[in-house]
Amino acid sequence: MQKARIGVTGLAVMGRNLARNLARHGHPVAVHNRTSSRTKALVEEFGDEGTFLPAETPERFVASLERPRRLVIMVKAGAPTDAVIDEFAPLLEPGDMIVDGGNAHFADTRRRESALRERGVHFVGTGISGGEEGALHGPSIMPGGSAESYAALGPLLEDIAAKVDGTPCCTHVGPDGAGHFVKMVHNGIEYADMQLIAESYDLLRYAAGLEPAGIAEVFRTWNTGRLESYLVEITAEVLAHTDASTGKPFVDVVLDRAEQKGTGRWTVQTALDLGVPVGGIAEAVFARSVSGHAALREAARDLPGPSRGAAAGSGFADAVEKALYASKIVAYAQGFHEIQAGSAEYGWNIDLGAMATIWRGGCIIRARFLDRIRAAYEADPQTPTLLTDGHFAEAVGDAQDAWRDVVATAARLGIPAPGFATALAYYDSLRAGRLPAALTQGQRDYFGAHTYRRVDREGTFHTLWGGDRTEVTG
């Protein structure tokens, strides 16, 4: 009986395409779905692409896998994932592995990895980015789990991953939940990137007066330079598209309520737990939230705004390009700072340069820009922030006047640009010689005796605000 090198259970679009990708690369793949009709349809439609071993039951599915068994779960995160694990784990033996390719919360992955480790079964939480096309043609893959599991699983994943300059967009991220943590932050950065692009469109349209087709050409031009990326590329395509039924620009017939599936929100929540400032990502999450509050927006529709002055002048598109690049640097700097903090907190020892390397292809945020990030961390793995890297510091320095003009123009015309504004505020906060946090600490000490530290000597102190205002040690 022929054995499969790897198996995929859960044959919705992502699972089906991942199985096809594996088969196309010459790996016999066991396939299973709770609804067997999907398994049958996959084999009937795509059976000529490679070797598929269909199984109608979990028992037959597991029996068709060679040892160590590599079982990939492609189901919804949360309770459905736990249910599938509970179904398959009793059928596995020590040394076998379960690979979760969904968008699980990294804390759930850590819990599952610990529980299965006690049974001798490897659990590999694996981030997969690139959508359904990436799953089929080559995604960016971020596996966590043990080094031992990667030794057996890694070659298959590297084989089907996207390649950039011959390098697979896949590497072992780190132990237990590291892979899903990095995928979570990847998605948070994606939120920020998309928000900054959306704000650029809004400013070009309502400050510079360009129509969607004209803005599409601006984005196409940007995509030939330092902003070259998948997101900028598809933005041009979306803006150039005309709605067939109305003849209007497609972007004008789409309801302006952006949805989200949770990974961006998790990124912000986790950053708060770690004490890492990720304002650019947070503003992107909140911007989607604001867009969805239709009743609130309707109630506020007639609130007064600015007396609109003159629109932006010539050269504004170039200013927006500089502001977009500078703000993008900030967003990525914040995301990599969070990965760095998470790695330290959980002892993962994540290689930041390697993360930039595997994001260069396959994933949604793939971009020319990531080569610069890879180079920055290769030059100095301990770089405290990308903003201090020579290349990025020079780029942000060059953008100063344009960046501030774009933010000021948005404020003057009443065009919401929270992504640009918070990126600039974060940058100015880092470069400030002294922050007003000193006053905040004074206030905290006044109302709650929370103490403070001084600039001129060690220790913590408290002022007797309700008494004679003498200072005592905290």
Side-chain angles (χ1 to χ4, degrees):
M1 176 181 176
Q2 183 176 14
K3 296 282 187 177
R5 293 199 69 195
I6 192 167
V8 179
T9 181
L11 301 177
V13 175
M14 283 291 291
R16 180 187 66 192
N17 282 2
L18 194 68
R20 291 174 60 196
N21 190 353
L22 285 159
R24 286 177 170 188
H25 281 80
H27 305 295
V29 186
V31 288
H32 168 268
N33 195 78
R34 186 176 294 276
T35 305
S36 58
S37 58
R38 276 192 176 176
T39 309
K40 183 179 179 181
L42 167 62
V43 176
E44 288 180 348
E45 191 171 353
F46 304 109
D48 60 346
E49 294 183 344
T51 301
F52 296 100
L53 305 182
E56 293 189 357
T57 68
E59 291 79 9
R60 289 179 63 89
F61 179 64
V62 170
S64 67
L65 296 171
E66 67 179 30
R67 297 289 311 279
R69 300 183 180 96
R70 290 166 283 235
L71 189 161
V72 181
I73 296 174
M74 298 297 292
V75 299
K76 289 183 180 179
T81 298
D82 282 321
V84 173
I85 292 171
D86 290 343
E87 184 176 28
F88 282 94
L91 305 176
L92 301 179
E93 300 175 74
D96 292 345
M97 68 189 71
I98 295 177
V99 182
D100 177 12
N103 273 332
H105 193 289
F106 78 96
D108 287 337
T109 301
R110 299 190 78 213
R111 168 179 58 79
R112 291 162 182 155
E113 194 275 340
S114 178
L116 288 170
R117 192 186 333 128
E118 293 182 359
R119 307 174 64 155
V121 174
H122 298 281
F123 186 75
V124 184
T126 301
I128 300 176
S129 179
E132 58 185 83
E133 287 300 304
L136 180 61
H137 299 294
S140 174
I141 309 178
M142 295 151 261
S146 67
E148 182 184 352
S149 65
Y150 192 78
L153 177 68
L156 277 77
L157 298 184
E158 291 177 14
D159 195 24
I160 67 167
K163 310 291 190 303
V164 176
D165 299 329
T167 301
C169 293
C170 174
T171 192
H172 183 222
V173 175
D176 56 71
H180 275 145
F181 183 93
V182 165
K183 175 56 162 59
M184 173 190 76
V185 177
H186 164 283
N187 285 21
I189 293 172
E190 179 185 307
Y191 274 55
D193 212 340
M194 293 174 69
Q195 176 64 24
L196 292 168
I197 288 172
E199 290 178 19
S200 298
Y201 151 74
D202 217 27
L203 285 161
L204 291 172
R205 186 161 192 185
Y206 298 109
L210 300 180
E211 291 300 314
I215 301 172
E217 289 307 310
V218 172
F219 274 94
R220 286 198 176 106
T221 300
W222 288 353
N223 200 46
T224 63
R226 61 184 179 175
L227 285 171
E228 179 188 349
S229 67
Y230 173 71
L231 285 172
V232 169
E233 176 188 347
I234 67 170
T235 297
E237 294 297 316
V238 171
L239 289 174
H241 184 55
T242 300
D243 177 58
S245 61
T246 64
K248 295 180 179 179
F250 172 75
V251 72
D252 286 348
V253 302
V254 177
L255 188 66
D256 60 341
R257 298 181 198 169
E259 299 178 358
Q260 52 186 310
K261 291 187 175 180
T263 46
R265 183 172 65 251
W266 292 348
T267 304
V268 177
Q269 291 169 337
T270 302
L272 289 170
D273 292 337
L274 293 170
V276 176
V278 293
I281 297 171
E283 286 294 353
V285 173
F286 289 134
R288 293 194 189 191
S289 180
V290 167
S291 77
H293 282 270
L296 179 63
R297 291 171 60 200
E298 182 61 33
R301 190 81 64 194
D302 295 327
L303 289 176
S307 299
R308 297 235 171 172
S314 61
F316 187 65
D318 290 337
V320 173
E321 189 273 346
K322 289 184 175 182
L324 175 57
Y325 191 67
S327 299
K328 182 183 177 84
I329 293 170
V330 168
Y332 280 69
Q334 291 177 351
F336 275 88
H337 184 195
E338 182 168 357
I339 294 174
Q340 191 175 44
S343 179
E345 175 71 17
Y346 298 109
W348 288 329
N349 195 31
I350 296 173
D351 182 336
L352 299 180
M355 298 308 98
T357 299
I358 66 172
W359 288 350
R360 294 181 304 160
C363 70
I364 303 302
I365 63 172
R366 60 186 184 265
R368 176 190 299 189
F369 170 81
L370 283 155
D371 248 335
R372 289 288 189 180
I373 296 178
R374 176 192 55 78
Y377 283 116
E378 284 186 355
D380 181 7
Q382 304 306 316
T383 296
T385 172
L386 289 170
L387 289 164
T388 61
D389 170 75
H391 168 78
F392 293 126
E394 181 180 352
V396 173
D398 178 64
Q400 287 299 299
D401 292 344
W403 196 5
R404 297 175 193 280
D405 180 59
V406 166
V407 172
T409 299
R412 177 169 56 84
L413 298 179
I415 299 171
F420 284 136
T422 196
L424 182 57
Y426 175 84
Y427 174 78
D428 283 338
S429 293
L430 292 189
R431 56 179 289 277
R434 188 164 172 79
L435 292 170
L439 176 58
T440 303
Q441 278 302 98
Q443 294 170 326
R444 294 180 73 246
D445 188 61
Y446 191 105
F447 67 67
H450 292 298
T451 74
Y452 52 87
R453 288 174 290 171
R454 297 177 58 96
V455 298
D456 54 359
R457 58 182 183 269
E458 295 296 319
T460 57
F461 304 90
H462 167 59
T463 293
L464 300 175
W465 298 102
D468 61 4
R469 301 204 174 189
T470 58
E471 185 178 73
V472 298
T473 56

